[in-house]
Amino acid sequence: IRNFSRAARRRIDFEVGVDYAADVDAAIRTIFEMLGEDERVLGDPEPLINVVSLGDSSVNLLVRYWLPPAGWNPVRPETGR
């Protein structure tokens, strides 16, 4: 058992599927912009967005960002996890 409640930051990971016909670079820029506008998201370390797989109907992106411990609980439901 590992207790992360005293950690200085908490990490959120989730995947987003982008249609093959869509502009993946534009989707990545949009996600970065959204994360940058959310005051709860820490700038250090910077958010990370990478292609993790090519699905049957989408390019799947891993979105990873960090929050202070106090901001983690309200954000978690917003990511759908």
Side-chain angles (χ1 to χ4, degrees):
I1 296 174
R2 296 180 78 183
N3 181 353
F4 292 102
S5 64
R6 291 186 176 212
R9 58 186 176 243
R10 304 286 298 267
R11 189 177 82 195
I12 302 287
D13 290 3
F14 66 95
E15 287 190 26
V16 175
V18 179
D19 189 274
Y20 279 112
D23 183 343
V24 174
D25 290 330
I28 291 172
R29 283 191 305 274
T30 301
I31 296 168
F32 269 121
E33 288 172 13
M34 291 174 64
L35 293 173
E37 292 172 1
D38 191 325
E39 61 191 33
R40 299 170 294 190
V41 175
L42 297 175
D44 183 28
E46 288 186 35
L48 173 72
I49 303 172
N50 284 327
V51 174
V52 290
S53 64
L54 302 175
D56 292 338
S57 61
S58 64
V59 176
N60 299 315
L61 306 174
L62 171 66
V63 179
R64 176 176 287 168
Y65 58 95
W66 287 262
L67 302 165
W72 187 77
N73 285 333
V75 172
R76 192 76 175 163
E78 293 176 24
T79 65
R81 297 210 146 201

